[in-house]
Amino acid sequence: MTESFAAVEHLLAEHAEIETLLADPAVHADAGRARTLGRRYAELGQVVAAYRAWRDATDDAEAAAELAAEDASFAAELPALQEAAAAATEKLRRVLVPRDPDDGRDVILEIKAGEGGEESALFAGDLLRMYLRYAERRGWKTEVIEATDSDLGGYKDVQVAVKARAGSTDPADGVWANLKYEGGVHRVQRVPVTESQGRIHTSAAGVLVFPEVEDAGEIEIDQNELRIDVYRSSGPGGQSVNTTDSAVRITHLPTGITVSMQNEKSQLQNREQAMRVLRARLLAARQEEEAAAANDLRRSQVRTVDRSERIRTYNYPENRIADHRTGYKAYNLDQVLDGDLEPVIRSAIDADEAARLAAAAS
């Protein structure tokens, strides 16, 4: 094995160790641990497969080179075998670049209307529909856990939980692995329904993406550091709306993070959902602190909805979608808004991978 791939040895050993653990029924008694091990096993499986393919390809190329030196008839096969070995080397180099450890997590995605008033709220609704359609194409489950409607049918604020399909263990297929790039300001250019003169307006909506906490014990929250307020719900939610104090607002005093929830009918349900979102936000805050000195993608998520800090533009008159981070541009906006988001997200994944490869090589 070449010196550059010496790191594979301990990964092969870890893969074998996890394989033994997963064969133990006792491990599966702890669903959380079994899920974590399964994801790591799938990730390492890619390394193992790439390493074996690289080893076979390089062995074949080396053997062909030796034979060609002795017999010219073997020389014709050598270029193809050397090309295959080079491709296998590049594949192994790519899979050895460390992944984001959260790639396999589910997410809580929040869309907030920003500059543009009712038009921004309507656009937030369009973004929600786009993400729900995209999730449906991926086989993911979605759950709207909180929504504040606008007067014209859009959303001032909406939060949705997105979960990977059951049995999925490959981190590359994880919800966070794909949706983490959506955090930021999304700008729309179109003629608003409220515009009588037919003029094109620009408005914006913000998207925040948080990796969801799988185990409540992962984020320890001191109940003494919470301020919990209850109040009357003011929107849809059944007979309890405006009759009982079922809405809940939880403030985490050390960080100032506040989560409000009123969609559920009972105070207990709203409290559980609020804690779920709070844990996700605290996890994201902790990870941002840990990555403060690094060029971490999560740090680029825009926390204030300002159209000047945009990551993407949706131009309706030209049917154009443009991602300003990757340079991606296409004229199929109608299809993207109907959930065909894969090429746009792929451009972000490819750009991220290129940056990680460059960093690993430096």
Side-chain angles (χ1 to χ4, degrees):
M1 183 172 17
T2 63
E3 183 179 354
S4 60
F5 292 145
V8 176
E9 286 287 6
H10 81 272
L11 296 177
L12 296 177
E14 184 184 355
H15 181 265
E17 181 182 357
I18 294 177
E19 186 171 51
T20 301
L21 288 172
L22 289 174
D24 183 356
V27 170
H28 295 273
D30 184 341
R33 185 186 181 210
R35 184 166 53 247
T36 300
L37 287 173
R39 287 175 178 169
R40 180 60 175 165
Y41 183 73
E43 183 178 355
L44 291 173
Q46 296 181 11
V47 175
V48 171
Y51 168 70
R52 289 172 178 168
W54 166 78
R55 185 182 58 193
D56 291 344
T58 51
D59 286 349
D60 289 346
E62 289 172 1
E66 293 177 3
L67 290 171
E70 300 174 359
D71 187 341
S73 64
F74 288 98
E77 300 179 18
L78 186 56
L81 291 172
Q82 289 176 329
E83 183 177 340
T89 300
E90 178 63 17
K91 175 66 178 296
L92 179 55
R93 188 168 70 89
R94 286 178 176 273
V95 298
L96 284 176
V97 176
R99 295 194 67 90
D100 182 337
D102 293 324
D103 275 352
R105 288 185 187 265
D106 298 324
V107 309
I108 292 176
L109 184 146
E110 182 174 2
I111 307 169
K112 301 172 70 71
E115 185 176 340
E118 278 293 339
E119 165 63 5
S120 176
L122 289 171
F123 180 51
D126 294 333
L127 289 177
L128 173 64
R129 178 178 178 273
M130 177 183 75
Y131 289 126
L132 293 179
R133 289 292 183 88
Y134 173 64
E136 183 180 4
R137 289 171 180 241
R138 295 296 303 259
W140 297 340
K141 292 183 178 180
T142 57
E143 173 194 4
V144 176
I145 56 179
E146 178 70 2
T148 304
D149 301 335
S150 70
D151 293 337
L152 296 182
Y155 291 97
K156 297 178 181 178
D157 191 345
V158 58
Q159 296 174 346
V160 57
V162 187
K163 291 185 172 295
R165 60 183 179 272
S168 176
T169 57
D170 187 350
D173 293 331
V175 182
W176 173 260
N178 292 273
L179 290 185
K180 63 183 174 183
Y181 305 102
E182 295 304 296
V185 169
H186 298 239
R187 185 178 71 164
V188 61
Q189 296 172 325
R190 66 185 178 186
V191 178
V193 295
T194 55
E195 170 58 54
S196 59
Q197 303 298 319
R199 293 174 296 185
I200 296 173
H201 286 222
T202 298
S203 60
V207 175
L208 302 175
V209 188
F210 305 100
E212 185 155 17
V213 177
E214 297 176 341
D215 181 358
E218 185 178 357
I219 297 294
E220 295 184 4
I221 299 177
D222 186 342
Q223 296 298 312
N224 293 323
E225 295 179 340
L226 299 179
R227 186 177 71 237
I228 301 176
D229 304 306
V230 296
Y231 56 98
R232 295 283 173 90
S233 298
S234 58
Q239 296 179 348
S240 61
V241 173
N242 292 322
T243 62
T244 61
D245 292 333
S246 59
V248 173
R249 180 185 302 109
I250 300 179
T251 303
H252 185 247
L253 299 176
T255 62
I257 295 175
T258 299
V259 178
S260 299
M261 203 68 59
Q262 67 172 19
N263 271 26
E264 303 296 340
K265 294 183 179 181
S266 77
Q267 185 183 124
L268 178 61
Q269 289 173 316
N270 280 322
R271 176 169 175 155
E272 290 175 347
Q273 293 284 47
M275 289 297 293
R276 177 182 177 185
V277 174
L278 177 61
R279 281 191 290 267
R281 290 187 177 179
L282 288 174
L283 174 63
R286 186 180 74 184
Q287 291 169 336
E288 285 182 3
E289 289 179 3
E290 293 172 349
N295 183 23
D296 192 276
L297 276 173
R298 279 166 293 190
R299 296 176 62 209
S300 71
Q301 293 196 56
V302 181
R303 301 304 181 188
T304 56
V305 183
D306 183 327
R307 76 181 183 194
S308 68
E309 300 179 278
R310 64 189 184 275
I311 66 166
R312 195 175 293 153
T313 293
Y314 304 72
N315 186 297
Y316 277 67
E318 298 179 12
N319 197 35
R320 171 170 53 83
I321 179 80
D323 193 295
H324 306 294
R325 301 161 300 176
T326 67
Y328 178 89
K329 183 184 295 185
Y331 293 85
N332 64 338
L333 177 59
D334 53 340
Q335 297 175 36
V336 171
L337 290 170
D338 197 40
D340 187 14
L341 195 56
E342 188 64 34
V344 191
I345 290 178
R346 173 50 56 184
S347 74
I349 293 174
D350 290 344
D352 178 35
E353 184 180 75
R356 290 187 292 115
L357 282 169
S362 62

